Amino acid sequence: MSLRARLQEILPGLLPRDSEHAIKGTELIRLVRSVLGDEYSDRSYRSHFSFMVLDPDSCLARVENGQGYYFKDAEQQADSRSLHPLFEAGAASKAEGYDRYHKALALVVRSLDTAGLGVFVYPSQDDFSWLHPDVVAVQWPEGHWEEDAFVMNEEVCRAWADSGESPLSYRSICLSFAEESNRRALFRALSAGLWAQECELVLVGEALAQEEEDELRLCASQYGVGISQWLLPDGLLERLPRADEIFRAGREEALALVEQMHVRRIAVPRYRAEAAHVFANLDQTDLQAMYYWTWGCLDRGRVEPYEFRVSVS
């Protein structure tokens, strides 16, 4: 049994039932050691606590803006699966997922997950971040499907557990609309994806003028940024349902939506094998949540349906 599975089994009996009586990590480690002994290091426990807090199916919760841990019951676990945080950007239209950015984001995500990639979506913000992308697409190790979960090769997961060397490949993706400042969007994609093996800019909307496309292609080739343009039929974004409905749509429904778009590749991302090193990036707070999520999937050896579609920090 993995450490995560053992923690999920014993933590309900050790954790306080409400946030007011939350206990600090040091005390929680002491309680866990009283059950499991000294087989694992403090660092291993702390890293597992960190990504369990981010797992919607975990019983472990952390006090918001605090240091204490407490028990998350079944109802709270169900609430943590909500996609609502994706649409909390201030304006009422964004809060409901009706705006075109969130609809386009949902289409991008569904095109990736129906292609077999794991997808991590960052919460929306009033100002776009230059430190993290809008979406991270994860290429998992070899594996197979068992019912509704993608199960990874056991030997790969065992090697990860023994060495800590991640077998995953990351593609950082930023989203923009073609009528906006495309040069600015290109350099944001580069800035937000310096840590990843690949970084890409997705331009949604009308076709670019040839002169502007040539200029972008030249910049992209110099810095290794991929560019793809998603040409949408007139009025498609306005006709689409809310973004959360696109996220929750079944595979066949999602494919039908994605097939309405024409995708043109303007520039191919340059693969940088040396760029992404998980442990070297731990100090980058904007990346920690995404790393903990992928580590949790590796630790379990499987990617569940909800996580395979969208995971929100």
Side-chain angles (χ1 to χ4, degrees):
M1 183 183 295
S2 69
L3 174 56
R4 185 189 181 285
R6 298 173 76 178
L7 288 172
Q8 187 73 358
E9 187 176 85
I10 68 170
L11 284 177
L14 303 176
L15 292 166
R17 262 23 190 194
D18 59 78
S19 58
E20 292 183 3
H21 299 93
I23 59 175
K24 291 188 175 181
T26 303
E27 175 63 13
L28 183 56
I29 290 174
R30 186 189 68 79
L31 293 174
V32 170
R33 285 193 184 283
S34 69
V35 179
L36 299 183
D38 298 324
E39 183 178 351
Y40 302 98
S41 67
D42 285 5
R43 179 179 178 181
S44 182
Y45 282 127
R46 291 187 186 280
S47 65
H48 274 71
F49 293 163
S50 295
F51 66 65
M52 286 181 73
V53 164
L54 300 169
D55 184 348
D57 290 324
S58 167
C59 66
L60 187 64
R62 183 164 50 204
V63 177
E64 187 174 355
N65 298 322
Q67 298 180 348
Y69 295 94
Y70 63 98
F71 178 76
K72 180 171 62 178
D73 60 29
E75 183 176 346
Q76 291 171 310
Q77 290 177 38
D79 289 343
S80 70
R81 286 175 173 267
S82 172
L83 295 173
H84 182 64
L86 280 172
F87 314 115
E88 292 176 347
S93 62
K94 288 186 177 181
E96 295 300 325
Y98 280 114
D99 66 303
R100 64 176 190 158
Y101 167 76
H102 287 104
K103 290 183 178 183
L105 177 67
L107 287 175
V108 170
V109 169
R110 296 315 309 272
S111 72
L112 293 168
D113 78 3
T114 52
L117 295 173
V119 183
F120 186 95
V121 183
Y122 278 90
S124 60
Q125 301 176 349
D126 291 323
D127 296 317
F128 291 116
S129 172
W130 288 71
L131 298 178
H132 68 70
D134 300 316
V135 177
V136 177
V138 185
Q139 181 67 61
W140 303 108
E142 293 182 3
H144 62 279
W145 285 95
E146 286 185 4
E147 297 181 350
D148 291 329
F150 180 76
V151 180
M152 301 175 215
N153 184 298
E154 289 186 10
E155 294 181 1
V156 174
C157 294
R158 193 177 304 117
W160 143 255
D162 294 339
S163 67
E165 292 294 328
S166 174
L168 305 179
S169 177
Y170 300 95
R171 189 196 312 167
S172 166
I173 300 172
C174 287
L175 174 67
S176 185
F177 289 92
E179 67 270 21
E180 298 174 356
S181 174
N182 295 320
R183 179 184 282 269
R184 181 177 185 272
L186 174 69
F187 283 104
R188 179 190 167 233
L190 175 62
S191 173
L194 288 173
W195 58 274
Q197 280 101 347
E198 295 180 346
C199 61
E200 181 172 359
L201 170 64
V202 173
L203 291 174
V204 179
E206 299 177 357
L208 299 176
Q210 189 62 51
E211 182 178 351
E212 185 174 15
E213 181 177 318
D214 291 342
E215 180 186 11
L216 280 179
R217 184 180 293 109
L218 180 62
C219 288
S221 63
Q222 182 174 353
Y223 295 105
V225 179
I227 303 178
S228 58
Q229 186 167 27
W230 291 39
L231 304 175
L232 307 181
D234 289 341
L236 175 63
L237 286 179
E238 289 72 21
R239 295 195 303 271
L240 287 176
R242 289 171 25 146
D244 55 336
E245 295 179 18
I246 300 174
F247 276 117
R248 292 191 173 96
R251 180 180 174 84
E252 291 185 4
E253 295 172 304
L255 284 173
L257 291 174
V258 171
E259 287 172 357
Q260 295 184 57
M261 299 176 295
H262 175 61
V263 180
R264 289 186 63 244
R265 173 67 72 182
I266 295 177
V268 177
R270 184 180 306 139
Y271 187 85
R272 302 169 296 184
E274 75 285 353
H277 190 283
V278 170
F279 296 109
N281 284 293
L282 272 178
D283 290 336
Q284 277 190 249
T285 305
D286 293 283
L287 300 178
Q288 284 183 350
M290 184 273 303
Y291 280 138
Y292 287 139
W293 168 63
T294 57
W295 292 353
C297 294
L298 276 174
D299 188 61
R300 292 191 299 276
R302 60 197 294 122
V303 186
E304 304 297 341
Y306 171 79
E307 290 178 318
F308 205 76
R309 182 172 305 138
V310 52
S311 208
V312 184
S313 69

